Amino acid sequence: MTDNVTIMDNVTISERAARRIAEILKSEGDGAMLRISVEGGGCSGFQYKFDVERAKADDDLVIARDAAVVLVDPASVPFLAGSEVDFVDDLIGASFRVNNPNATASCGCGTSFSI
């Protein structure tokens, strides 16, 4: 097994992503969580959205790794099943990247995809 912690629905958070999420949440204060959702739009049909929230819905998928807490709404879970959320810092910038096995195509920036 890799260094990922697998939680229900096989959505994982890499160690790098967990560190970065924890940094962001610490700066947001107590009770902050990162919400990842999938919305229609983007150049490939669907796009990932990242928001900081303080409220968790009863039916949210909660993924916790170290000090990182990630929420995924039930409508987005099927689109993210089997995915790994990673954080990359390369020449074109730093960003979260979702390595999604369900995506049949994605855009060059990695924020939108199609199924």
Side-chain angles (χ1 to χ4, degrees):
M1 185 169 185
T2 66
D3 66 345
N4 298 324
V5 175
T6 302
I7 308 295
M8 58 189 281
D9 295 307
N10 297 322
V11 179
T12 59
I13 307 296
S14 73
E15 183 179 343
R16 285 184 306 240
R19 277 196 310 263
R20 183 64 183 129
I21 292 167
E23 289 171 11
I24 292 167
L25 297 180
K26 184 177 179 182
S27 71
E28 292 290 329
D30 290 343
M33 298 169 276
L34 181 71
R35 178 173 296 280
I36 302 173
S37 57
V38 175
E39 298 181 340
C43 53
S44 297
F46 295 99
Q47 61 188 358
Y48 302 109
K49 184 176 178 188
F50 299 89
D51 292 302
V52 175
E53 285 196 9
R54 296 192 186 290
K56 179 188 98 52
D58 290 338
D59 55 356
D60 278 341
L61 169 65
V62 179
I63 307 163
R65 178 169 184 168
D66 303 325
V69 179
V70 176
L71 306 174
V72 181
D73 64 90
S76 298
V77 169
F79 294 103
L80 293 168
S83 295
E84 177 194 49
V85 179
D86 196 9
F87 182 75
V88 293
D89 190 357
D90 54 24
L91 293 175
I92 60 171
S95 64
F96 289 105
R97 183 152 306 146
V98 180
N99 300 313
N100 189 338
N102 304 305
T104 58
S106 63
C107 67
C109 65
T111 61
S112 72
F113 65 101
S114 61
I115 294 183

